């Protein structure tokens, strides 16, 4: 789990590891927080995605409660569970009866939730619940590291892009005797006119010393 991989790859691994590690588990969904909302980023089967979607559609369910209430939730029979009546109704046509939901978090942030499903009633014992919690804790740390790595790479790319744009602006200022504002405006207009990304256009200016015709 500590390999240097992308967040997407890490989340896929989380789902597979959870399916194999938690007794009674058949399918797993991993939801990751983005802008305060949960998105299903990985699932070991279509059923997990359908169930995650049902919870978002109903606006309730173990997944949402685990994330927003910072708890762990277990249900032995989803079809009869009165805590989430709208979600329970939506699951009647799906082959699932038991569910575990864990919040994935570190001291710094809530990252998402881990959702474990089974077609059997009361599939998850107390032991399975504890093992799932231990696994979720380690999984959260691994996911946090992957996100930190991805954010650092994105920041580095942004800095490199800004440097290239700044260099291109400097060249236009020197060759065409423009102010920094006018040089950046011409660069932006040329980007829109040629339908070229600003960074790519800046690279052309650095190579040729001028804007494209």
């Amino acid at each position: 789990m500590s390999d240097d991989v992308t967040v997407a790859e890490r989340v896929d691994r989380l789902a597979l590891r959870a399916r194999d590690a938690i007794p009674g588990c058949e399918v797993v969904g991993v939801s990751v927080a983005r802008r305060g909302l949960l998105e299903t980023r990985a699932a070991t089967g279509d059923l997990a995605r359908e169930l995650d979607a049902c919870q978002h559609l109903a606006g309730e369910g173990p997944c949402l409660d685990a994330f927003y209430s910072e708890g762990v939730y277990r249900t032995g029979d989803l079809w009869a569970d009165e805590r989430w009546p709208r979600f329970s109704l939506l699951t009647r046509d799906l082959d699932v009866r038991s569910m575990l939901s864990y919040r994935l978090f570190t001291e710094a942030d809530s990252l998402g939730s881990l959702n474990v499903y089974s077609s059997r009633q009361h599939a998850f014992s107390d032991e399975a619940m504890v093992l799932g919690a231990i696994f979720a804790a380690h999984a959260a740390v691994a996911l946090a590291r992957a996100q930190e790595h991805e954010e650092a790479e994105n920041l580095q790319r942004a800095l490199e892009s800004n440097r290239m744009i700044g260099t291109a602006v400097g060249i236009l200022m020197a060759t065409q005797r423009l102010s920094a504002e006018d040089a950046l405006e011409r660069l932006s207009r040329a980007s829109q006119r040629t339908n070229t990304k600003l960074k790519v256009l800046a690279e052309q200016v650095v190579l040729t010393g001028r804007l494209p015709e």
Side-chain angles (χ1 to χ4, degrees):
M1 295 304 295
S2 61
D3 293 345
D4 184 16
V5 297
T6 66
V7 171
E9 292 170 324
R10 185 66 54 87
V11 174
D12 286 338
R13 291 186 183 186
L14 289 179
L16 292 172
R17 296 291 195 280
R19 183 194 62 190
D20 297 337
I22 301 173
C25 174
E26 296 174 7
V27 293
V28 170
V30 179
S31 296
V32 175
R34 289 178 60 86
R35 301 181 183 89
L37 300 175
L38 287 176
E39 297 180 359
T40 302
R41 294 287 297 273
T44 60
D46 291 339
L47 178 60
R49 294 188 182 279
E50 288 183 52
L51 287 161
D52 286 352
C54 284
Q55 292 181 82
H56 290 291
L57 179 62
E60 63 179 25
C63 169
L64 300 179
D65 281 358
F67 180 73
Y68 292 110
S69 301
E70 304 182 2
V72 178
Y73 289 84
R74 173 174 60 174
T75 177
D77 187 357
L78 276 173
W79 298 1
D81 201 312
E82 297 180 352
R83 289 175 292 181
W84 309 286
R86 293 187 299 274
F87 174 55
S88 176
L89 184 63
L90 292 174
T91 64
R92 297 298 174 87
D93 294 329
L94 301 174
D95 186 24
V96 64
R97 302 299 289 268
S98 298
M99 182 175 175
L100 282 173
S101 286
Y102 302 88
R103 182 173 66 117
L104 297 180
F105 68 99
T106 63
E107 290 183 0
D109 198 11
S110 293
L111 306 172
S113 62
L114 173 69
N115 304 304
V116 181
Y117 303 101
S118 174
S119 61
R120 296 184 292 110
Q121 294 184 52
H122 306 286
F124 303 117
S125 64
D126 290 345
E127 179 186 5
M129 190 172 181
V130 172
L131 287 173
I134 295 171
F135 176 85
H138 286 279
V141 173
L143 179 57
R145 288 176 179 171
Q147 289 184 335
E148 288 171 359
H149 179 73
E150 187 170 81
E151 288 170 1
E153 286 189 334
N154 290 339
L155 178 59
Q156 182 62 34
R157 284 194 291 268
L159 289 173
E160 291 173 357
S161 176
N162 287 338
R163 290 193 195 101
M164 184 64 67
I165 293 170
T167 301
V169 167
I171 290 173
L172 293 176
M173 289 172 64
T175 59
Q176 300 187 25
R177 295 186 177 182
L178 299 171
S179 67
E181 291 79 6
D182 289 341
L184 181 58
E185 183 179 357
R186 289 198 184 185
L187 193 64
S188 298
R189 287 180 179 175
S191 173
Q192 295 173 0
R193 185 182 72 252
T194 61
N195 195 27
T196 305
K197 290 184 177 180
L198 195 59
K199 179 187 175 184
V200 174
L201 188 63
E203 290 173 348
Q204 295 176 10
V205 172
V206 171
L207 288 174
T208 65
R210 60 185 179 82
L211 287 168
E213 299 296 337

